Amino acid sequence: MRKPVTPARENISPSDLTFGLSTCKRCLWIKYWHKVTMPGAFPLVGTFSSLQENVFRGVATQEIDASLRPGRVTKLAEWVKSKPLVINGEPTRWRILGKYDLVAENEDGTVALIDCKVSDNSRDSGEFYSPQLEAYAYAMEKPAAGRALTVATMGLLVWNPNKVIGSNATTYGFGVTQVYVPVPRDEEKFLAVIGDFISVLEGPLPESGPTCTTCNYLLQRLSLEN
């Protein structure tokens, strides 16, 4: 496959640092150099995300979890963009661009970054999502424009749907359990992950991921057509 002179996109999505690298490097490479992705349908993700975010508008941080610094949620679903990433002292062409869920302004002048999830997946751990949250933090602390912030804490706010509530069509709803999962800051690990990510992008077309459903589908279909 031909590699263009310049990539189709130079802004790295924070979610690709988790789902992209762990799924298929070939699909990731094609996405950034040719802007081609497999269509996906997640019709309720945006709805649940908006509902969850708006519940916490203006809420005190310690109502979310007692471990958080005193503060209040002041920002919802805003885009952040970083300066060009610097890896091992060398500037790159790549930037972080993404939209976080919640940011709280702490009384001490720092901020808390909170990522909302509606899920019952055991994968929703701080370790798995750490690179994604660190990417948002990087963009907030090294913004392409505007005031730099200090991200003191990061975490996942997970809703796990576990029951139906209400007694008729006008009152039905879903009940959830809520858990806050702290995600420790680890910039060194993030820079290692983003360094590997950029090495994949700047290199030749990688092999397909063995568990990539997109590549496996295309290969099976091609074999049938031939």
Side-chain angles (χ1 to χ4, degrees):
M1 182 181 295
R2 181 184 60 85
K3 186 175 183 179
V5 176
T6 57
R9 52 179 290 177
E10 295 180 351
N11 296 319
I12 295 174
S13 171
S15 62
D16 283 338
L17 298 175
T18 51
F19 298 104
L21 274 180
S22 65
T23 304
C24 182
K25 294 178 181 179
R26 171 173 287 225
C27 287
L28 197 67
W29 191 95
I30 293 171
K31 175 180 180 179
Y32 280 84
W33 283 97
H34 293 277
K35 210 171 185 179
V36 175
T37 58
M38 184 71 175
F42 305 97
L44 291 178
V45 170
T47 299
F48 280 131
S49 179
S50 294
L51 289 171
Q52 193 177 20
E53 290 163 6
N54 280 290
V55 164
F56 296 99
R57 184 189 299 271
V59 169
T61 50
Q62 293 190 310
E63 291 182 29
I64 296 173
D65 193 79
S67 68
L68 292 169
R69 302 185 185 193
R72 192 168 296 275
V73 175
T74 56
K75 298 180 181 180
L76 310 176
E78 293 188 5
W79 288 91
V80 287
K81 184 177 183 179
S82 75
K83 296 176 180 177
L85 287 150
V86 177
I87 304 299
N88 297 324
E90 296 294 327
T92 73
R93 70 173 102 206
W94 307 96
R95 300 172 183 262
I96 298 294
L97 176 66
K99 184 166 69 172
Y100 60 72
D101 292 332
L102 304 176
V103 162
E105 295 184 11
N106 298 325
E107 293 178 2
D108 62 7
T110 63
V111 301
L113 174 63
I114 302 172
D115 197 50
C116 297
K117 306 291 180 190
V118 178
S119 173
D120 61 357
N121 196 324
S122 60
R123 182 182 58 189
D124 293 336
S125 66
E127 183 179 1
F128 181 76
Y129 282 104
S130 177
Q132 180 178 346
L133 269 66
E134 282 286 359
Y136 292 124
Y138 186 97
M140 296 166 71
E141 294 181 335
K142 299 175 178 63
R147 181 172 66 95
L149 302 174
T150 299
V151 180
T153 58
M154 311 187 304
L156 305 175
L157 185 58
V158 183
W159 279 2
N160 181 354
N162 61 0
K163 62 184 176 181
V164 175
I165 59 176
S167 57
N168 56 59
T170 62
T171 61
Y172 282 141
F174 291 103
V176 303
T177 55
Q178 176 177 303
V179 60
Y180 176 77
V181 181
V183 179
R185 293 296 311 268
D186 192 343
E187 186 175 9
E188 182 178 350
K189 180 180 178 181
F190 164 71
L191 291 175
V193 171
I194 198 72
D196 290 344
F197 189 96
I198 290 173
S199 293
V200 169
L201 296 183
E202 293 288 4
L205 178 67
E207 294 296 322
S208 299
T211 62
C212 176
T213 55
T214 299
C215 288
N216 288 336
Y217 163 76
L218 293 173
L219 290 171
Q220 290 177 38
R221 177 168 174 168
L222 184 61
S223 68
L224 290 173
E225 291 174 348
N226 291 338

